[in-house]
Amino acid sequence: MWGGTTKCGNCGPGYSTPLEAMKGPREEIIYLPCIYRNTGTEAPDYLATVDVDPKSPQYCQVIHRLPMPNLKDELHHSGWNTCSSCFGDSSKSRTKLVLPSLISSRIYVVDVGSEPRAPKLHKACLLPLPAQ
């Protein structure tokens, strides 16, 4: 048990505990969902790729923006296609980032495996709203 849930076991690229993750290699890029809600800007939300490698000449800069295809989604949180608490199986990899939207009920799947520094939209899904 970890955090009140059962671990997946040896099924993915993650770490066995948060402490083990802290001992791992430092991230070189991060992905940030960026939203325009209540800003007066009529543009699609986007996923920003930020260089966080202190040795890079682009350190702390947005190096890529991936705009979503629709307006007023309000991207919220994100998750991976492979469980982050799983570990030990080199056949699993985190190649897709899942971006749900609060306002539109869309879920975007972004390919971050092919070109991590310039991700591309893989798929967009619209969840049906419950009947009222």
Side-chain angles (χ1 to χ4, degrees):
M1 297 289 274
W2 181 45
T5 60
T6 305
K7 284 195 292 186
C8 299
N10 293 336
C11 67
Y15 294 92
S16 59
T17 67
L19 185 57
E20 288 300 312
M22 291 171 57
K23 295 175 187 174
R26 180 186 173 107
E27 298 290 343
E28 294 179 3
I29 55 173
I30 59 172
Y31 304 105
L32 300 171
C34 300
I35 63 171
Y36 284 115
R37 183 162 187 215
N38 297 328
T39 65
T41 300
E42 286 293 317
D45 297 342
Y46 63 94
L47 182 69
T49 305
V50 180
D51 186 321
V52 293
D53 180 358
K55 295 177 253 151
S56 169
Q58 297 170 321
Y59 180 57
C60 289
Q61 294 178 30
V62 174
I63 57 173
H64 186 263
R65 285 181 175 85
L66 175 64
M68 297 300 110
N70 300 287
L71 293 173
K72 300 181 181 176
D73 283 319
E74 191 171 342
L75 299 176
H76 201 269
H77 290 85
S78 63
W80 293 105
N81 62 306
T82 301
C83 180
S84 63
S85 65
C86 295
F87 64 98
D89 183 343
S90 61
S91 71
K92 306 284 189 217
S93 62
R94 293 190 199 128
T95 60
K96 305 288 187 297
L97 187 63
V98 181
L99 296 169
S101 305
L102 287 179
I103 304 299
S104 68
S105 296
R106 287 185 187 91
I107 297 176
Y108 295 104
V109 180
V110 176
D111 176 2
V112 297
S114 299
E115 265 188 88
R117 297 178 70 83
K120 293 178 177 58
L121 186 62
H122 174 71
K123 182 181 257 188
C125 307
L126 179 61
L127 297 177
L129 296 174
Q132 294 188 10

